[in-house]
Amino acid sequence: MKISGRSVLVTGAAGGLGACFVSSLLKLDAKSVIAIDIDCEGVDRLAADIADPRLVTKVLDIGDEGAVLSLFRELSERSIYPKILINNAGILCDGLLASNRDGFIRKLSTANWTQSLSTNLTGHFLMTREFAVSILSCPSSLPEASSSQTDAVIINISSISSVGTVGQSNYASAKAGLDASTRTWARELASDKIRVC
């Protein structure tokens, strides 16, 4: 995968794997790295730690469709057409489906279920969809659309939790959905030279 001279979008970029991705991409001579995270303090820390003019940071909830649409509209207005998307954002809202401990019945809340699916599945869907639209609508006059850079890549970060882990039915469901969506999107977008893995 060619990194040099390309713009890259990274979600969940404020810490952990995301911050490592951002740092490594800049070292590999990415044209720009758009680092997205819902954690405002984390985004500020990332910008201060890296201090590279090619780094663009954005506080964003990828589960918010309006915010995602606004992001891609802003990038288009600035003639930034990323060729690589790393869907790394993820959250944990652990809890057993239902339990009885010492006579107290507890259950996984609908809010926790919805929050997990919003970030871990719907957010990836929204980012992938708008990234694909961005690639398909990139003006042919821009260098990003040249024949040497037509291939685009979407990388969805998942985990083995999709097979089912106690206390993580919401997370496992989202990741299983993401795994299936990744395979589906790979087939759908292959003819447009957009790889999904």
Side-chain angles (χ1 to χ4, degrees), residues 4-96:
S4 179
R6 291 183 165 198
S7 294
V8 185
L9 264 168
V10 181
T11 69
L17 279 176
C20 289
F21 292 148
V22 170
S23 177
S24 296
L25 289 162
L26 290 168
K27 288 175 184 172
L28 290 169
D29 199 31
K31 180 179 180 180
S32 63
V33 177
I34 302 96
I36 298 167
D37 204 292
I38 197 169
D39 178 1
C40 184
E41 291 179 3
V43 166
D44 289 344
R45 208 168 33 250
L46 179 72
D49 289 347
I50 293 181
D52 188 310
R54 295 172 296 153
L55 176 62
V56 178
T57 58
K58 191 83 174 171
V59 176
L60 180 80
D61 176 1
I62 64 167
D64 179 340
E65 183 174 16
V68 172
L69 292 172
S70 178
L71 166 71
F72 280 92
R73 188 165 45 249
E74 178 186 334
L75 292 175
S76 175
E77 288 168 357
R78 295 172 61 181
S79 295
I80 299 174
Y81 293 89
K83 287 293 182 178
I84 301 165
L85 168 63
I86 301 177
N87 270 323
N88 176 63
I91 61 168
L92 293 174
C93 302
D94 291 355
L96 295 172

